[in-house]
Amino acid sequence: MSSRKELANAIRALSMDAVQKAKSGHPGAPMGMADIAEVLWRDFLNHNPTNPQWADRDRFVLSNGHGSMLIYSLLHLSGYDLPITELANFRQLHSKTPGHPEYGYTVGVETTTGPLGQGIANAVGMAMAERTLAAQFNRPNHDIVDHHTYVFMGDGCMMEGISHEVCSLAGTLKLGKLIAFYDDNGISIDGHVDGWFTDDTAKRFESYGWHVVRGVDGHDAAAIKKAIEEARAVSDKPSLLMCKTVIGFGSPNKAGTHDSHGAPLGEEEIALTRKQLGWTHAPFEIPQDIYEQWDAKAAGKAKEGAWNEKFAAYASAYPELAAEFKRRMRGALPENWQAESQKFIEQLQANPAKIASRKASQNTLEAFGKLLPEYLGGSADLAPSNLTMWSGSKAINEDAAGNYIHYGVREFGMTAIANGITLHGGFLPYTATFLMFVEYARNAVRMAALMKIRQVMVYTHDSIGLGEDGPTHQPVEQLASLRVTPNMSVWRPCDQVESAVAWKYGIERHDGPTALIFSRQNLAQQERTAEQLTNVARGAYVLKDCDGQPEVILIATGSEVELAVGAYDKLTAEGRKVRVVSMPSTDVFDKQDAAYRESVLPKAVSARVAIEAGIADYWFKYTGLNGAIVGMTTFGESAPAEKLFEIFGFTVDNVVAKAKALL
């Protein structure tokens, strides 16, 4: 029987050997946190390596994702489908062990981490999802949702601003099943952090409303176990375990220094470390008795089996709830979704209204919310402006079984928390702020796209059309930057019908996030045939046309579609052959087959004008270098919206002039 220290040393050996073989990586954190990980994973973590998707498993997040060999070692030793050959292939092309943990690449990895602070944010989202799902589905004597979220984090996570945003909210919401382990080793890339990080972290978290366990010896298994038991006993506060550790533990010359943080230890130092740890085995060699003690497959099957029995009893007592739980955890939409959502869109087309697209979004939320109990939405303190609440909205801080989150002014935290909610399962999260403030949320937006996970991101006040608040609040380059983000779908609808189609698309999309860009000002509804209505979902379609081939094509989105239609009327009256293309989603249009794209934007027509109150340069993709663009080339100004549109050239007369100049 190997000692606990030997079991932890298996992590240390695998980590330093893999980093050395790759000639890059971060051995220090895995070596420093190995003892904590051994206690948590072997004594407390409820998981099943043979079914990593078990609904009621505990979630484990490595927020300090640079220490990825820690989680790879844990997954391998515990019995997940991650063979030793993959550990030996660390950081190599197409391996299951990339440089930072990536969701979807490695079985058992719950979220992609590496950008510091976002892992703890995801963990907060997972804990919020667990509690809300439990409140919605659990019944007396039937606790089918009952698990913890554990997260490892280091000094870097603590310094990142997002950790302040999300940990503050976690304390306010009293997320008692969230337990964070702070790897307090005092070292970052630049060296000893006391030169730039002297926060009283314990007081900081206590002020958030967390339960803090101070002074845990991160290399003493008994002390670690006692701290975890204390944290699990506190049900009305999240817990922070402040674990004092030595980075690179076991290395005679590099432990406790930044030299072990982000570089291989070196062959000579590894040999010395093996000697100091008493580890006599060759690289990537783990003794059978250590494997047997780490193996969690049998225990995991037993734990899931016990839960399956609980769920069977639940299903017998509450068959409809059980079926709904299974549907939501699968991510499937309700059976009546397609018919009812399409009927709503057709009703909108039949009943024109001139309203702001942000209001159209709220009306759609109202209609779709009655169909989708999985909604878990929220806004970064802008609900009255974003219009993200509907009649069925219930704040989770008031009703644990609610469906709405008041995120406060925390755009970055909100977006990363929502990523965690998606990753947990059971919910469709939507978030909201002004389009300008996507800048605060940017990296979490990117992470949603990178992980290919669903989140609907509502961004209102979409242009200089918001008026008097001025250039600090008027987005210019944000649309283009969202559009050029890989795997991001972006919609800027022109009326209530396109707004509803955009929402429907975002809800049905499961392989990435969708940004919905809405106006503050009212937008006239466009007339459409049944075919045009169908084609909205293809990202771009011919809204107005002429007989035969057009001389000029006007391409527009959002509020500028009205301008294009006005210019169409003027030019047509003068005998010109004009086509108007409404393009609410460039990325969806780009995915259409070549024949459809040609039918909308025929190559033979080179005279094209793009009109959008956003950065002009993006549109050369559709107009060509010889086309014309009515767009922004500067920041905005503070003035009433109608005046701004006039001085920046968003007028029918200017569109007409641009078109004529091409003819």
Side-chain angles (χ1 to χ4, degrees), residues 144-308:
I144 61 163
V145 182
D146 183 15
H147 53 266
H148 285 78
T149 301
Y150 298 102
V151 56
F152 283 4
M153 57 194 297
D155 290 303
C157 293
M158 288 295 187
M159 285 184 265
E160 286 286 0
I162 189 173
S163 71
H164 296 256
E165 294 183 24
V166 302
C167 293
S168 166
L169 185 58
T172 298
L173 294 177
K174 304 181 187 301
L175 300 177
K177 288 184 179 173
L178 173 64
I179 298 177
F181 297 78
Y182 171 29
D183 182 29
D184 184 12
N185 61 33
I187 296 292
S188 67
I189 291 176
D190 281 0
H192 291 273
V193 300
D194 55 14
W196 47 86
F197 181 53
T198 58
D199 298 12
D200 188 328
T201 300
K203 285 184 179 178
R204 169 187 157 192
F205 274 77
E206 285 169 349
S207 76
Y208 293 154
W210 285 55
H211 170 70
V212 178
V213 183
R214 303 173 188 235
V216 181
D217 183 342
H219 302 297
D220 181 337
I224 297 163
K225 185 173 184 177
K226 180 182 177 184
I228 296 173
E229 289 171 342
E230 180 182 330
R232 285 167 56 93
V234 177
S235 61
D236 62 346
K237 293 180 179 183
S239 291
L240 178 70
L241 279 56
M242 301 189 63
C243 302
K244 267 294 178 189
T245 63
V246 177
I247 191 170
F249 182 92
S251 170
N253 300 303
K254 296 187 177 181
T257 74
H258 69 278
D259 292 333
S260 66
H261 171 87
L265 297 181
E267 297 288 358
E268 184 178 332
E269 186 67 16
I270 286 176
L272 293 172
T273 303
R274 274 182 153 73
K275 184 176 181 182
Q276 180 153 312
L277 293 175
W279 187 262
T280 59
H281 315 290
F284 303 106
E285 180 186 307
I286 304 295
Q288 190 58 35
D289 71 307
I290 288 182
Y291 270 131
E292 289 171 0
Q293 285 176 257
W294 266 109
D295 191 346
K297 294 194 292 293
K301 285 180 183 177
K303 289 172 182 177
E304 184 175 357
W307 181 84
N308 286 336

Side-chain angles (χ1 to χ4, degrees), residues 121-135 149 166 169-170 173 175 177-178 376-377 396 400 402 404-407 413-414 417-418 420-421 424 427:
N122 297 159
V124 170
M126 292 172 185
M128 288 169 64
E130 189 275 341
R131 191 175 71 174
T132 306
L133 203 66
T149 301
V166 302
L169 185 58
L173 294 177
L175 300 177
K177 288 184 179 173
L178 173 64
L376 186 55
I396 63 169
Y404 195 83
I405 302 166
H406 290 286
Y407 282 104
M414 167 183 72
I417 285 171
I421 291 170
H424 177 278
F427 293 101

